[in-house]
Amino acid sequence: MSGLLDLLNSPMGKQLISGVASQTGQPENKTADVLSMAMPLLLGAMKKNASSPQGADGLLSALSSKHDGGILDNLGGLFGGGVDQNVIKDGEGILGHVFGNKQANVENALSQKSGLDAGSVAQILKIAAPLVMAYLGKQKAQGDVKDANGLNTLLGSMLGGQPDQNRSLITTLLDADGDGSVLDDVAGMVMGGNKKKGGLGGMLSGLFGK
């Protein structure tokens, strides 16, 4: 099963980065930076949500229907005339479901790490979310995943095997300190430590609950 960063380094990934950059008016290198952080973050959040039976059932259902991966078969068409508003609205819905009322904090964290303003990060996330779901849907179909255990294995494999420069990010996303909260680890990554000392770390901690 392909890891998420394999996608970004593939021809499809290059097309994806170029398309998102042109849609948001941001440089491709900055867009790639945001996507390389945001896509594992989205998957990490989905993995957290899928740890409950209801969350896993909901995700499996979405990946079997609306998010089966078909959107990836025509990225040229997706980005050709600008991304369809339905795709962006879909992305808003996914982000709201995955991040809840902490979405703005996530966008601010990625903004500080990437150097892009939070509004541009938000736009990138809205486009990236349906594409991450689509990629996950394709991987689910290829792996013939039918239950929660298979889904969690798939998500774990997609988050694993990352290049060295991304490994620390992935480690934090998978709850490096074992406390059950993914986002306070991300806050530590973004702010360079002191994740339990209030500030951004305090705002982000508990995003997925303890």
Side-chain angles (χ1 to χ4, degrees):
M1 293 177 187
S2 300
L4 199 58
L5 272 292
D6 294 336
L7 167 66
L8 286 177
N9 291 323
S10 71
M12 181 194 291
K14 301 282 191 282
Q15 190 178 9
L16 197 158
I17 291 166
S18 172
V20 174
S22 64
Q23 175 75 18
T24 57
Q26 299 300 326
E28 287 193 16
N29 63 328
K30 291 280 190 182
T31 301
D33 286 347
V34 173
L35 287 172
S36 69
M37 291 184 287
M39 293 172 88
L41 180 52
L42 281 162
L43 270 189
M46 289 175 194
K47 190 172 193 298
K48 198 74 180 172
N49 290 348
S51 62
S52 74
Q54 301 96 320
D57 286 347
L59 186 53
L60 281 168
S61 174
L63 296 175
S64 299
S65 52
K66 184 175 185 180
H67 298 288
D68 63 358
I71 192 174
L72 296 177
D73 295 334
N74 186 18
L75 283 179
L78 175 68
F79 292 119
V83 176
D84 188 279
Q85 281 300 308
N86 288 332
V87 174
I88 293 175
K89 286 182 78 74
D90 187 29
E92 289 175 355
I94 294 167
L95 294 172
H97 180 74
V98 170
F99 293 137
N101 62 1
K102 305 293 187 180
Q103 184 177 332
N105 294 342
V106 174
E107 291 163 358
N108 288 331
L110 292 174
S111 170
Q112 291 191 36
K113 186 69 175 174
S114 68
L116 288 182
D117 65 274
S120 297
V121 170
Q123 284 298 109
I124 291 172
L125 284 175
K126 286 174 193 172
I127 301 169
L131 297 174
V132 169
M133 288 285 284
Y135 189 60
L136 186 56
K138 274 194 179 297
Q139 296 292 316
K140 171 191 170 292
Q142 289 172 14
D144 197 26
V145 173
K146 291 186 167 63
D147 57 24
N149 285 339
L151 181 62
N152 275 290
T153 299
L154 171 63
L155 287 163
S157 71
M158 288 176 67
L159 282 163
Q162 305 298 343
D164 287 344
Q165 66 266 31
N166 293 300
R167 197 161 291 152
S168 61
L169 170 65
I170 303 302
T171 303
T172 54
L173 282 172
L174 293 182
D175 190 24
D177 58 5
D179 67 355
S181 181
V182 175
L183 253 288
D184 56 0
D185 295 322
V186 175
M189 174 272 294
V190 172
M191 301 306 289
N194 297 323
K195 64 186 172 65
K196 300 290 189 184
K197 306 297 185 194
L200 185 68
M203 286 194 298
L204 287 179
S205 66
L207 176 62
F208 299 109
K210 296 279 176 145

